[in-house]
Amino acid sequence: MIRDFTDAEARQALVLKWGTVDEDVLPAWVAEMDYALAPPVAAALADAVARGVTGYPAFLTGEGGLGDAYAGFALRQFGHQVDPGRVIPVVDVTAGVRVALDVLSEPGPMVLPLPAYHPQLDVAQLTGRERWDLPVAPDAGRATVDLAALDRLFALGARTLLLTQPHNPCGHVYTRAELEGIRDVVVRRGARVISDEIHAPLVLPGATHVPYLSLEGTADHAVAVVAASKAFNTPGLRCAQIVTADLATYQRLVDVPMARNDSWSSLGVVAAEAAYNHGDEWLAALVSRLDSLRSLLADLLAEHLPEARMRPLEATYLAWLDLRAYGHDDPTEVALERGRVLMSPGHIYHPDLPGHARLNFATSPERLTEIIRRVGSALTG
C-alpha cells in the first residue's frame, strides 16, 4: 500500500525536502516521507477541493467532526478514551505547545529534555519564559528523563515540562513506569506537563505508546498535542489538536482571544478526519515498511559505518546517529560536501553537542542503501 515517489515526483510534491537541494543530493533531513499520500486522505482532499472547501474552518470542530475522529483513532490505536468534545484544533503542534504554555502554565521556566526537536528550543522564550535544559548524556543507555534532575529543576522554580513522547530525535518510547515517575515528580511539585505526541502513531513493533493523559492523576495538570501530519505526511495542511481531559483546562483554552489560536486549515481538518477515520490499514502498512527499513538501516550501518552508534529506534522514521568516532564536529557538513547527502546536524537539536546527526530513513530501500553508502564513503574516505 505504500507507494514510493520517484525522484521527479518527490521534487514536485516535497518542495522543501527535495525542492531546495541540488539534483545530485539525496535529502534525508526534514521529517517528510518519500511516499504518496494515503489513498483515503488523497480522495477526501480531492473531493473537498472539488466542492470548494477552501474557506475558513469552523472555530471549534470537536464533537461530531475532528473530535470524534481523533477519539475513535485514539481508542483503536492506543486504547485511550478521549472525550471528543475536549479536542481543540490548532494550526500545528509547535503552535499548540506555545498556546498551552502561554495560557495554562505559570510564569516560571520550562524544562526541555535535550536533544529536542529544534523549534522547541525557542518556544519558551516566545512566551516570555526561560528554557531550562535537561540533557540526556550521549552515552546514556536510554533517552529518558532523569527524575532526580527534573525534581531539582522544579524545586528551583521551573513550572512546566515539555515532554516529547515518542521522542524526536532519539526515537525513544517512554514506558508506563517512566511516565508514572514523571507524573509523580510533577504532582509533588505542583507543576505542569505539555506532552507532544505527534509521533504516537509511528511506534514500531516491540514498543507501545502510552498517552500521558491515560495515566491516573494527570488530567488537571497536562494536555497532549497531537496531529495526523507526521504519520500521514500532511504537514503543509496545517491542522493539529490539543487534547484535554479536564473541563477547567478545556475552558481556559477555548476562552482565549481568537488571535491567540486561529489559522488552522479547512483542508487540514478534512485530511485529519480522513486519516483518523479511514487510515488504519494504510498506517499499518507504513509501520511495517518502517520496521523493515529500521532493520535495513542497522545492517547498512554495520557495513558502511561500523563505528556509528544509533539510539535504540523504537518509534518514528528518524534515527539519531552518534558519529563522533569519525572525528568530525559536524559530520553532516562532510556528508553533504563529499557524499551529496543532506542530513540534519545534531547541534540544532542539542546545542554544543558535536558529532551527531539526525537521519530520515522514510524512503525506498534502494535510496536508503545509497544514502548510507555515500555517508560511509564520505566519513571514512
Side-chain angles (χ1 to χ4, degrees):
M1 296 182 68
I2 308 303
R3 187 177 75 78
D4 295 287
F5 281 139
T6 66
D7 288 7
E9 287 174 329
R11 288 192 184 95
Q12 288 185 336
L14 306 175
V15 295
L16 175 62
K17 183 183 180 184
W18 280 78
T20 59
V21 300
D22 294 336
E23 288 199 1
D24 65 335
V25 171
L26 284 174
W29 61 297
V30 69
E32 294 181 294
M33 301 182 288
D34 296 343
Y35 309 138
L37 275 178
V41 176
L45 287 169
D47 176 69
V49 170
R51 290 184 289 111
V53 183
T54 57
Y56 292 116
F59 290 131
L60 287 176
T61 52
E63 194 165 4
L66 186 57
D68 274 348
Y70 180 73
F73 182 81
L75 185 61
R76 295 190 309 275
Q77 294 288 328
F78 317 127
H80 181 207
Q81 293 270 1
V82 171
D83 183 340
R86 294 183 184 169
V87 176
I88 302 167
V90 65
V91 64
D92 60 25
V93 163
T94 300
V97 169
R98 187 175 69 248
V99 169
L101 187 61
D102 199 26
V103 174
L104 301 173
S105 293
E106 295 178 22
M110 182 196 83
V111 177
L112 182 64
L114 294 181
Y117 174 54
H118 58 92
Q120 294 177 345
L121 298 178
D122 300 315
V123 71
Q125 298 90 309
L126 289 174
T127 67
R129 292 166 172 80
E130 293 182 52
R131 187 192 83 220
W132 286 2
D133 295 337
L134 184 56
V136 173
D139 299 311
R142 284 178 67 79
T144 191
V145 171
D146 181 331
L147 297 181
L150 178 63
D151 189 66
R152 286 194 296 272
L153 292 176
F154 283 142
L156 289 171
R159 303 311 304 142
T160 303
L161 169 67
L162 176 50
L163 182 67
T164 301
Q165 68 108 6
H167 193 271
N168 170 22
C170 289
H172 175 65
V173 175
Y174 288 83
T175 66
R176 180 175 294 275
E178 287 171 332
L179 294 173
E180 288 173 343
I182 291 169
R183 175 204 59 194
D184 293 347
V185 172
V186 169
V187 169
R188 182 165 65 250
R189 293 296 183 179
R192 176 167 289 281
V193 170
I194 301 172
S195 186
D196 172 354
E197 301 185 14
I198 192 172
H199 287 102
L202 297 175
V203 171
L204 303 176
T208 301
H209 174 64
V210 179
Y212 186 78
L213 285 173
S214 70
L215 301 180
E216 185 179 356
T218 59
D220 63 349
H221 73 253
V223 296
V225 192
V226 303
S229 58
K230 282 294 177 279
F232 290 90
N233 223 33
T234 57
L237 292 177
R238 316 299 280 170
C239 180
Q241 300 87 49
I242 301 175
V243 181
T244 68
D246 170 76
L247 180 58
T249 300
Y250 170 82
Q251 205 61 54
R252 289 173 67 185
L253 287 166
V254 298
D255 284 347
V256 301
M258 186 179 72
R260 187 172 276 179
N261 180 24
D262 69 347
S263 298
W264 63 89
S265 158
S266 292
L267 291 177
V269 173
V270 168
E273 290 183 3
Y276 290 146
N277 286 328
H278 307 296
D280 287 6
E281 187 178 2
W282 186 89
L283 179 60
L286 173 65
V287 170
S288 178
R289 163 69 79 93
L290 298 179
D291 185 31
S292 68
L293 290 171
R294 171 175 61 170
S295 298
L296 175 61
L297 176 58
D299 292 342
L300 292 169
L301 290 173
E303 179 181 357
H304 297 287
L305 287 162
E307 295 185 82
R309 297 195 302 165
M310 181 171 65
R311 284 280 183 189
L313 192 51
E314 299 170 322
T316 82
Y317 46 82
L318 306 165
W320 184 243
L321 302 180
D322 180 349
L323 301 169
R324 289 176 293 173
Y326 294 97
H328 304 285
D329 281 348
D330 185 359
T332 66
E333 282 188 352
V334 181
L336 180 58
E337 180 181 347
R338 298 180 186 172
R340 309 307 286 160
V341 170
L342 180 59
M343 300 183 291
S344 298
H347 62 78
I348 70 172
Y349 304 93
H350 191 152
D352 303 319
L353 179 67
H356 286 69
R358 192 189 77 167
L359 170 76
N360 179 344
F361 63 89
T363 189
S364 68
E366 295 77 17
R367 277 201 204 98
L368 181 58
T369 300
E370 179 63 8
I371 285 167
I372 300 303
R373 187 197 67 77
R374 289 191 191 185
V375 174
S377 296
L379 297 187
T380 61

